[in-house]
């Protein structure tokens, strides 16, 4: 990180991290890294940067937010996970899991509870609210654009997300700060750690995009690592709608021979996982060796049983996903699941903004990935020489 630059600059204001209940686990990890970072900078033991906020509910379901400490003059960062369905509340005696709408409403309540007293207000929302409703095809709402404008109007000066489904949503707030952060380096670091024998060359590894929408993500990996790129085209039935989408009729593969090669497939999220499993099965039938499915958000909306079956049947080897949203306990316990930890990355990002340092170099992972690949090749060479 830019540790030297941070040493040469002053904080914009005293740092505070407001952890919404939905992002408690991630925020505690971010706070750990921030305290270590500032202890190294100051030579003094640091207290936690976390500020307490509670979001109680009345029995009718109405809610409110209570910020326990003063935020006056603080450079305040609010972390929230709108995808955390594991948090529940009571409404008329019934247990209700929180939806993205509920989490977004609590975020606005927390901003309102700060009463405009913070020196600067930033929101880090890894899973972007309404991100999948990012464009209008028919008479449809534009949920993500409206939410961004609403947050901006409430005084939020900086909005940061990870791997937005469509980063062009930032056009809704053209003069506001919006960062779309990609966990490319963290994903490859996790892959190398869990699969130390993987070889990054054209003869042994190929990158495959699961659809045309994920091409930019996979082009980055293929171009930087010097690998061949294939893709799947989703042929859809546009005459009907199922669960709000046109159903996929077939996956058509476009690319060179995959026989005997390891395959790396990256998408922004795995929801039900049907598409990822279909292409993994097809790649296996085409003679591919190991198949690694990677994503930023492992939602697994229909559970992990189908993925366990794919592992057992041998047409899927491992799944990589970040800790940027809630993960099922059974997923965390699965031996084929490789966690991609982004908490240190977020801590570096917050520290840079707190010192008013440009984050463009930090958001560009090319040099770090090249260094990672060099270390990986040296370690493999050392193992072969033993």
């Amino acid at each position: 990180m830019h540790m030297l630059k941070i040493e040469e600059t002053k904080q914009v204001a005293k740092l505070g991290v407001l952890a919404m209940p939905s992002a408690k686990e991630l925020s505690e990890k971010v706070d750990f890294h921030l305290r270590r970072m500032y202890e190294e900078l100051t030579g003094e033991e640091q207290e936690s940067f976390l500020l307490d906020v509670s979001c109680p509910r009345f029995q009718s379901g109405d809610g409110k937010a209570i910020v326990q400490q003063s935020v006056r003059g603080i450079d305040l960062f609010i972390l929230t996970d709108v995808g955390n369905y594991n948090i529940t509340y009571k409404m008329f005696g019934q247990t209700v899991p929180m939806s993205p709408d509920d989490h977004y409403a609590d975020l606005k309540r927390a901003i309102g509870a700060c009463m405009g007293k913070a020196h600067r207000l930033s929101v880090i929302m890894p899973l972007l609210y309404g991100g999948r409703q990012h464009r209008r095809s028919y008479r449809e709402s534009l949920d993500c654009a409206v939410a961004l404008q609403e947050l901006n109007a409430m005084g939020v000066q900086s909005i940061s997300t990870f791997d937005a489904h469509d980063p062009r949503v930032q056009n809704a707030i053209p003069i506001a700060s919006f960062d779309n952060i990609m966990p490319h380096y963290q994903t490859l670091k996790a892959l190398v750690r869990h699969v130390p024998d993987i070889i990054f060359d054209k003869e042994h590894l190929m990158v495959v995009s699961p659809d045309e929408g994920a091409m930019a993500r996979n082009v980055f990996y293929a171009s930087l690592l010097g690998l061949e790129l294939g893709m799947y085209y989703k042929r859809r039935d546009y005459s009907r709608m199922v669960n709000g989408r046109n159903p996929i009729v077939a996956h058509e593969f476009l690319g060179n021979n995959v026989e005997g090669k390891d395959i790396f497939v990256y998408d922004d999220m795995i929801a039900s996982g049907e598409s990822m499993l279909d292409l993994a099965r097809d790649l296996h039938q085409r003679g591919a060796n190991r198949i690694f499915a990677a994503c930023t958000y492992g939602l697994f909306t229909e559970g992990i049983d189908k993925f366990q079956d794919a592992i057992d049947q041998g047409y899927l080897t491992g799944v990589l996903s970040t800790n940027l949203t809630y993960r099922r306990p059974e997923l965390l316990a699965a031996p084929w699941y490789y966690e991609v930890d982004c908490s240190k990355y977020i801590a570096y990002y917050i520290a840079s903004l707190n010192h008013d340092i440009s984050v463009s170099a930090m958001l560009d992972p090319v040099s770090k990935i090249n260094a990672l690949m060099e270390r990986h090749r040296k370690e493999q060479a050392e193992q072969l020489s033993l």
Side-chain angles (χ1 to χ4, degrees):
M1 228 274 284
H2 323 289
M3 194 61 71
L4 184 61
K5 290 185 179 180
I6 286 181
E7 289 176 349
E8 296 172 349
T9 58
K10 293 183 178 180
Q11 289 178 280
V12 169
K14 182 181 177 182
L15 175 62
V17 178
L18 193 68
M20 299 300 294
S22 59
K24 183 179 179 181
E25 177 195 353
L26 177 62
S27 298
E28 288 176 348
K29 289 185 175 181
V30 170
D31 180 59
F32 170 77
H33 292 297
L34 280 171
R35 282 188 285 115
R36 288 186 60 184
M37 194 181 308
Y38 278 86
E39 284 171 2
E40 185 178 338
L41 285 171
T42 64
E44 300 176 357
E45 186 175 347
Q46 297 290 312
E47 295 182 357
S48 174
F49 292 100
L50 295 180
L51 303 176
D52 295 326
V53 58
S54 59
C55 298
R57 295 268 175 168
F58 298 99
Q59 292 181 343
S60 61
D62 296 318
K64 64 179 178 180
I66 306 171
V67 177
Q68 307 293 343
Q69 298 104 330
S70 171
V71 299
R72 187 180 296 275
I74 288 179
D75 189 14
L76 188 64
F77 292 82
I78 304 179
L79 267 67
T80 184
D81 174 16
V82 299
N84 191 344
Y85 60 91
N86 189 51
I87 297 180
T88 61
Y89 62 90
K90 289 285 188 179
M91 185 171 70
F92 292 95
Q94 301 180 63
T95 300
V96 181
M98 289 189 69
S99 70
D101 292 341
D102 292 321
H103 287 301
Y104 177 61
D106 277 355
L107 170 64
K108 291 190 292 182
R109 292 183 178 112
I111 294 171
C114 293
M115 298 182 291
K117 297 299 194 297
H119 176 81
R120 184 174 63 180
L121 185 59
S122 303
V123 169
I124 299 179
M125 186 190 298
L127 184 58
L128 191 61
Y129 174 75
R132 299 178 74 179
Q133 188 53 32
H134 58 100
R135 63 184 177 186
R136 177 176 284 149
S137 300
Y138 306 101
R139 289 182 292 275
E140 298 177 336
S141 58
L142 287 172
D143 297 17
C144 191
V146 170
L148 293 177
Q149 291 180 348
E150 194 170 22
L151 292 175
N152 190 227
M154 293 184 74
V156 176
Q157 293 169 267
S158 173
I159 300 172
S160 309
T161 190
F162 274 76
D163 197 359
H165 191 67
D166 187 343
R168 290 175 295 183
V169 295
Q170 65 186 289
N171 293 338
I173 47 171
I175 60 174
S177 174
F178 182 96
D179 283 328
N180 181 42
I181 308 167
M182 299 297 295
H184 292 310
Y185 170 72
Q186 289 73 20
T187 299
L188 288 176
K189 186 177 178 181
L191 180 62
V192 166
R193 182 171 68 252
H194 289 281
V195 192
D197 63 338
I198 193 166
I199 301 174
F200 292 89
D201 63 30
K202 290 182 178 180
E203 288 70 37
H204 297 89
L205 182 64
M206 184 174 180
V207 176
V208 173
S209 176
D211 55 36
E212 58 274 23
M215 276 297 286
R217 299 175 180 89
N218 289 277
V219 163
F220 177 85
Y221 284 111
S223 300
L224 183 58
L225 300 174
L227 305 175
E228 287 188 340
L229 176 68
M231 73 160 286
Y232 276 88
Y233 162 65
K234 291 180 180 177
R235 187 151 51 88
R236 294 182 180 272
D237 181 358
Y238 287 97
S239 66
R240 58 195 180 100
M241 297 281 283
V242 177
N243 295 327
R245 305 187 73 179
N246 301 108
I248 298 169
V249 177
H251 290 86
E252 307 287 353
F253 180 67
L254 305 173
N256 292 333
N257 187 12
V258 302
E259 189 171 355
K261 294 182 179 180
D262 290 338
I263 304 294
F264 178 79
V265 184
Y266 196 92
D267 208 351
D268 62 332
M269 66 176 62
I270 293 177
S272 68
E274 289 289 351
S275 295
M276 190 68 79
L277 292 174
D278 285 346
L279 68 89
R281 189 181 297 108
D282 184 70
L283 288 166
H284 180 69
Q285 291 173 352
R286 292 173 182 271
N289 187 23
R290 298 177 297 182
I291 300 170
F292 301 99
C295 66
T296 306
Y297 303 105
L299 305 182
F300 296 91
T301 56
E302 297 180 8
I304 68 167
D305 290 345
K306 291 180 290 187
F307 280 81
Q308 186 62 60
D309 290 341
I311 296 291
D312 295 339
Q313 294 174 34
Y315 62 86
L316 185 64
T317 305
V319 176
L320 296 97
S321 178
T322 71
N323 61 341
L324 294 170
T325 191
Y326 174 75
R327 288 94 59 224
R328 293 168 174 264
E330 59 269 30
L331 176 66
L332 294 174
W336 44 265
Y337 172 67
Y338 311 148
E339 181 103 311
V340 179
D341 187 0
C342 293
S343 58
K344 194 173 184 180
Y345 195 14
I346 295 175
Y348 283 162
Y349 177 80
I350 289 175
S352 294
L353 292 185
N354 182 233
H355 285 256
D356 226 7
I357 296 172
S358 172
V359 296
S360 58
M362 192 193 77
L363 297 181
D364 182 5
V366 173
S367 60
K368 290 196 293 184
I369 290 176
N370 287 335
L372 174 66
M373 292 296 103
E374 185 62 28
R375 290 196 304 271
H376 179 59
R377 293 187 187 98
K378 286 182 178 179
E379 289 171 2
Q380 286 185 327
E382 290 172 0
Q383 288 293 323
L384 289 173
S385 64
L386 293 178

